[in-house]
Amino acid sequence: MDITEFDHHSPIPGTTIFDGKMAMKGYALNKMCYSFNGAAARAQYLADPEAYMEKFGLNDEQKQACRDKDVLAMIAAGGNIYYLAKFAGIYRLDVQDIGAQQTGMTKEEFKEKLRKAGD
Amino acid sequence: MAKILGGLTTSHIPAVGNAIHNGLFDDPYWKPFFDGYPPIRAWLDEHKPDLAINIYNDHGLGFFLDRMPTFAIGAAHEYRNEDEGWGIPQLPPFPGAPEVSWHIIESMVEQEFDITSCQELPVDHGFVVPMQLFWPGAPNNPDMPRTIPISANTVQHPIPTLKRALDFGKALRRAIQSYPEDLKVVVLGTGGLSHQLDGERAGFINKEFDQYCMEKIVDDPEALTKISRMELVEKAGAQGTEFLMWMMMRGALGDKVVRRHSNYHIPISNTGAGTMLLECVE
Ligand SMILES: [Fe+2]
């Protein structure tokens, strides 16, 4: 279903508004990530990621983004950061790790950027 | 009759939970943040509230996108802090106040706020971290009040407007004040301030806007209702929309408040961290 006619958000650079359109697009991916609240699910994913992604019906774009642990690609594929944070948790990545990855910085550079915001 | 003593605001960053667990109170990174809390604890120690209404936003533990309530009110006997994906140590359950919850739910719907009632609600860092900051050792602190969690949706747009959040708080005030038993109540507004975790703009923090919000919320919260939701995303960052919880809290305090304490520090994790104590004026 095309619901582009309901897109009333003016773009904010570097920011995806997670609205109904994105929620529909990313449902399977987000549902998988939501399951990672449970330790057993996290272990199951790590044991066989392909089977686990298949079980939740991820599409190819979502699967590849997960294989690559590529946060920007996961967002483009409909991922919501609140659920993606649980995916990141599997690999012990914190919000500075994923911030650095998305901005193309080292973690130290990213933390410095955060510190500078206080000046 | 129940009486609202005041409002407490704080950021609720997950990393704070770890820092508390590891006792990093005097660590140079953490000290300017943790130093914002003793004056609020002293005030709580003096007033000893019976009930803490904790307005927070769930981050994908209590709710998923299959059913996403815009406003949800806990009505459980206790609230459990469950694993939210990182395997951090969980706490014993927080005691609820279901008879007060149902009074509030009745009153809110009477006032035409159509909320979701929750007889089970696992609570995440958004609820737990503020409790740990205000009542060290929570929930095992001897002064730990009973609690009612209220969660507003900031996960998925459309999120509530700032005006709706403030109006929710105003209705909540009437709901609490009409409770027939004597109860001393504090209202927590948790989350924010500016931060963005996702996208190429990750790491965005806006000191000037945070300070504007912390200033206006004291004496002129109505001015903040002029901010549109997209403007809030732009100026506070995608997750800075959690400021809605502060608006809900502020609405519950009545027209006039006194700012007893305020602290602001950048950065804690990826966030501009703000803390306030606002006391109600009768
Ligand atoms: Fe949050």
Side-chain angles (χ1 to χ4, degrees):
Chain A
M1 185 174 72
D2 184 16
I3 55 165
T4 47
E5 66 266 33
F6 297 125
D7 191 355
H8 7 235
H9 313 306
S10 48
I12 299 169
T15 306
T16 301
I17 299 298
F18 189 87
D19 58 5
K21 209 165 73 175
M22 296 309 286
M24 289 171 73
K25 188 178 187 184
Y27 194 77
L29 170 61
N30 290 318
K31 191 169 179 180
M32 180 182 83
C33 292
Y34 176 68
S35 79
F36 296 146
N37 278 322
R42 301 197 289 273
Q44 217 183 327
Y45 178 86
L46 282 173
D48 189 349
E50 294 300 324
Y52 202 84
M53 290 192 283
E54 194 57 41
K55 186 172 109 180
F56 280 85
L58 270 61
N59 63 30
D60 290 340
E61 183 191 2
Q62 292 165 340
K63 284 180 181 171
Q64 194 54 48
C66 291
R67 285 181 203 118
D68 296 341
K69 304 181 194 69
D70 181 340
V71 178
L72 289 176
M74 292 173 93
I75 292 168
N80 176 299
I81 194 66
Y82 287 112
Y83 305 107
L84 298 184
K86 300 169 197 300
F87 175 90
I90 293 183
Y91 298 102
R92 300 272 159 220
L93 301 171
D94 64 25
V95 288
Q96 281 98 49
D97 291 309
I98 64 173
Q101 188 202 82
Q102 294 175 95
T103 52
M105 298 180 186
T106 66
K107 191 172 182 179
E108 262 323 304
E109 285 166 352
F110 186 74
K111 287 168 103 167
E112 183 55 27
K113 167 188 157 80
L114 295 168
R115 269 193 293 271
K116 280 202 185 118
D119 294 343
Chain B
M1 299 293 275
K3 184 181 167 196
I4 302 170
L5 304 176
L8 319 175
T9 72
T10 178
S11 303
H12 60 212
I13 306 145
V16 173
N18 282 320
I20 291 172
H21 184 69
N22 296 319
L24 302 178
F25 308 107
D26 292 318
D27 177 275
Y29 180 88
W30 288 99
K31 195 174 171 5
F33 171 77
F34 283 119
D35 281 353
Y37 293 87
I40 302 182
R41 286 185 209 131
W43 182 89
L44 287 167
D45 201 40
E46 186 187 330
H47 291 90
K48 298 217 187 330
D50 307 301
L51 179 70
I53 295 185
N54 186 327
I55 303 174
Y56 76 111
N57 56 291
D58 178 74
H59 303 73
L61 176 70
F63 305 110
F64 178 59
L65 304 175
D66 56 344
R67 291 173 281 265
M68 180 55 70
T70 295
F71 294 113
I73 301 183
H77 290 275
E78 61 178 28
Y79 300 94
R80 290 186 177 275
N81 165 224
E82 290 178 8
D83 188 354
E84 51 184 299
W86 311 305
I88 54 171
Q90 282 133 65
L91 305 172
F94 287 77
E99 72 289 1
V100 189
S101 291
W102 284 111
H103 172 86
I104 290 172
I105 290 164
E106 287 280 358
S107 174
M108 293 304 285
V109 176
E110 173 85 35
Q111 297 179 69
E112 300 177 342
F113 277 86
D114 305 316
I115 51 82
T116 300
S117 59
C118 307
Q119 289 204 63
E120 286 188 56
L121 181 58
V123 287
D124 67 14
H125 66 272
F127 171 95
V128 168
V129 164
M131 295 301 213
Q132 293 175 296
L133 287 167
F134 295 132
W135 291 276
N140 294 331
N141 184 307
D143 291 331
M144 187 74 217
R146 294 197 295 155
T147 184
I148 299 173
I150 297 181
S151 179
N153 163 40
T154 54
V155 169
Q156 168 183 276
H157 290 268
I159 60 174
T161 63
L162 285 91
K163 177 176 184 304
R164 187 65 170 164
L166 188 67
D167 287 347
F168 184 101
K170 290 176 184 175
L172 179 63
R173 178 174 181 79
R174 291 188 283 270
I176 296 165
Q177 287 182 326
S178 65
Y179 190 71
E181 286 171 34
D182 286 340
L183 267 185
K184 290 182 287 181
V185 181
V186 289
V187 182
L188 277 59
T190 93
L193 290 164
S194 61
H195 64 304
Q196 177 155 340
L197 306 177
D198 51 339
E200 293 86 348
R201 204 169 72 126
F204 174 78
I205 294 177
N206 188 343
K207 182 178 179 177
E208 198 184 330
F209 183 70
D210 287 346
Q211 288 177 339
Y212 172 80
C213 290
M214 287 181 78
E215 192 56 43
K216 284 289 172 194
I217 202 161
V218 181
D219 292 323
D220 192 11
E222 303 292 340
L224 297 169
T225 65
K226 307 288 184 286
I227 299 169
S228 76
R229 290 166 292 172
M230 284 307 121
E231 203 183 334
L232 186 62
V233 172
E234 190 181 354
K235 292 192 171 155
Q239 284 73 45
T241 53
E242 294 179 345
F243 182 66
L244 286 173
M245 313 306 134
W246 291 46
M247 293 295 282
M248 291 164 71
M249 177 279 314
R250 180 61 186 86
L253 304 185
D255 289 340
K256 201 163 161 34
V257 296
V258 176
R259 173 175 40 201
R260 289 278 173 226
H261 179 67
S262 175
N263 190 50
Y264 180 73
H265 176 68
I266 294 175
I268 287 299
S269 189
N270 290 23
T271 305
T275 301
M276 296 182 95
L277 164 58
L278 302 176
E279 195 175 73
C280 292
V281 177
E282 285 160 285

